[in-house]
Amino acid sequence: MACGRRHSLAVLNGGRVVATGANTAGECDVQDWSEVVAVAAGNVHLARNTGRSHSLALRADGTVLATGWDGDGQCRVGAWSEVVALAAGWRRSVAVRADGRALAVGRAVEGACDVTDWREVVAVSAGDWHTVGVRADGTVLAAGVDRSGSCAVQGWRGVVDVAAGYLHTVGLRADGTLVATGRSEQGQCAVGGWRDVVAVVAGSHHTVALTSDGRALAAGADDHGQCDVEAWTDVVVVSAGAAHTLGVRADGTVVSAGDAAHGRRDVSGWHCATT
């Protein structure tokens, strides 16, 4: 499952994809996609909000599909192969190949696509201005704008996953604790006390985590109720957009919180794949 600024995506049982929300540039035109195992939704930078975004899908054969706005070439992923993970940011698409190399296409001005020399990468995340990746040895790499210290990850160790927001970065350690850096004026980095975390995602200004017992935790901006996830139970997947949050329960049903404009939370009929 994936949340963008104005749209949401999910993989259904059987590998089909559904989308809801704004379809300004065709970012929700996913009805023909099949054999998909993961999706990613691009963001729309808040200060330069064109209302246009893009969507990505990873197929079981390691190829990648894209639709939506391609103003910076962020949808030019047709030649990618042997991909095992992918992420979508503002005007940017990033992937990890089976051999541990990183790929990126899209807006290169700020350096967030400067990942082609990364090796032994196991996970990536794309924020508005920066890209972060986890290496097999638990160290973390970052590229792009380091405003507010969003790329200050050089000392992190024992990390197994990362999440990049607008100007903050969160890392999940193997022991279930979190480390965070970057802008936190709305509390999006106030995650040091969380325990037993198994997954973490970042919205523009909020952070959401999943615990081993199926609970969701959230910190940061809550102006649209995007952090109202404390009542969620039996959750196995979480995703965070600019101002909304989605979760998939073990039975495949979807819960949501936050901004419902443009239909981005119209997910009541979805039954998602959970493995």
Side-chain angles (χ1 to χ4, degrees):
M1 189 172 54
C3 298
R5 174 155 170 75
R6 292 179 171 177
H7 74 298
S8 303
L9 306 167
V11 182
L12 304 182
N13 288 315
R16 294 186 302 109
V17 178
V18 289
T20 187
N23 195 29
T24 310
E27 55 264 54
C28 291
D29 293 344
V30 300
Q31 58 273 7
D32 294 331
W33 291 0
S34 62
E35 299 181 6
V36 172
V37 295
V39 287
N43 199 5
V44 179
H45 179 45
L46 295 174
R48 304 179 185 180
N49 191 352
T50 63
R52 298 172 294 180
S53 190
H54 72 294
S55 301
L56 303 175
L58 173 61
R59 302 187 72 209
D61 64 0
T63 59
V64 179
L65 303 171
T67 187
W69 187 48
D70 193 31
D72 287 276
Q74 58 265 46
C75 291
R76 298 173 191 173
V77 298
W80 289 1
S81 62
E82 300 182 8
V83 172
V84 295
L86 77 170
W90 179 53
R91 302 186 178 190
R92 183 171 76 262
S93 301
V94 185
V96 178
R97 285 173 46 95
D99 61 4
R101 294 190 295 118
L103 305 171
V105 292
R107 183 179 172 96
V109 178
E110 294 83 17
C113 285
D114 294 345
V115 302
T116 54
D117 61 343
W118 291 5
R119 296 292 183 270
E120 301 180 1
V121 179
V122 296
V124 289
S125 182
D128 277 15
W129 297 102
H130 68 299
T131 303
V132 289
V134 181
R135 300 185 70 211
D137 63 1
T139 58
V140 180
L141 302 166
V145 174
D146 192 26
R147 193 179 308 161
S148 302
S150 50
C151 291
V153 298
Q154 295 81 3
W156 290 6
R157 298 291 184 272
V159 174
V160 295
D161 201 4
V162 283
Y166 171 56
L167 285 173
H168 77 290
T169 304
V170 184
L172 170 61
R173 292 191 180 110
D175 64 2
T177 61
L178 297 176
V179 60
T181 185
R183 183 172 293 180
S184 190
E185 74 277 9
Q186 292 172 287
Q188 56 265 51
C189 290
V191 298
W194 294 358
R195 297 291 183 270
D196 299 319
V197 174
V198 295
V200 64
V201 293
S204 289
H205 301 285
H206 72 299
T207 302
V208 182
L210 176 65
T211 65
S212 59
D213 60 357
R215 295 179 299 113
L217 306 172
D222 195 30
D223 48 325
H224 293 278
Q226 60 264 48
C227 290
D228 293 343
V229 302
E230 63 277 356
W232 294 2
T233 57
D234 298 320
V235 179
V236 295
V237 178
V238 288
S239 183
H244 74 295
T245 306
L246 299 181
V248 179
R249 288 198 170 110
D251 63 1
T253 58
V254 181
V255 288
S256 67
D259 192 353
H262 304 285
R264 73 196 79 179
R265 287 180 56 196
D266 293 347
V267 298
S268 59
W270 291 4
H271 195 278
C272 300
T274 57
T275 58

